[in-house]
Amino acid sequence: MIGKLLCCLMLALLAGATAAAELVVVVSAHSAITTLRAEQVADIFLSEATRFPDGGEVVALDLPIGSPLRDDFYLKVANRTPALMKAYWTKKIFTGRGQPPRELPNSMAVRKLVADNPTLIGYIERSALDASVRPVLVVH
């Protein structure tokens, strides 16, 4: 019985480890930004910062609510669960102090839009990375 339980637990842990995609925060390959700290990225995605560290305008792009990648991103970068993010945006919107980032359906859509505009920033699966965008933070 214990052996069977341990086996199931190990399989569940392995499934969880392979299911989590490595995320990268990206800007256009034409952007002057080469690296950002997690705190800077969190401030941008939480509408606390509207400019890159070099002073240039920045606009964040998000994945859809309920996306495992989105949940993983906010947990690792901003230390917030989906419930905390919902409460955060509800308060920001209600008080007129901000709007959440525009949502796109998947990593490919984020990459394409970011590649075409140096003011945009987004996060994508590392497997979606190509030369059109520059990774500025690897999310672990």
Side-chain angles (χ1 to χ4, degrees), residues 32-121:
I33 302 300
T34 58
T35 186
L36 292 170
R37 295 185 323 274
E39 303 82 36
Q40 293 170 310
V41 170
D43 285 348
I44 291 168
F45 278 85
L46 297 173
S47 290
E48 297 296 326
T50 58
R51 301 211 167 268
F52 282 120
D54 70 355
E57 180 185 356
V58 63
V59 177
L61 298 175
D62 224 336
L63 292 175
I65 289 176
S67 159
L69 293 174
R70 177 181 171 136
D71 294 348
D72 198 34
F73 171 78
Y74 282 103
L75 190 59
K76 291 178 178 175
V77 172
N79 198 29
R80 295 175 189 237
T81 64
L84 287 174
M85 286 306 302
K86 182 177 181 180
Y88 178 83
W89 285 116
T90 299
K91 182 177 179 182
K92 276 274 211 193
I93 293 166
F94 181 75
T95 59
R97 293 191 351 233
Q99 290 290 319
R102 175 178 164 195
E103 291 181 24
L104 294 173
N106 56 46
S107 289
M108 292 352 144
V110 170
R111 184 191 68 212
K112 182 174 178 357
L113 216 53
V114 168
D116 294 337
N117 189 333
T119 65
L120 297 179
I121 188 170

Side-chain angles (χ1 to χ4, degrees), residues 12-24:
L13 287 172
L14 286 173
T18 56
E22 188 172 29
L23 296 171
V24 289

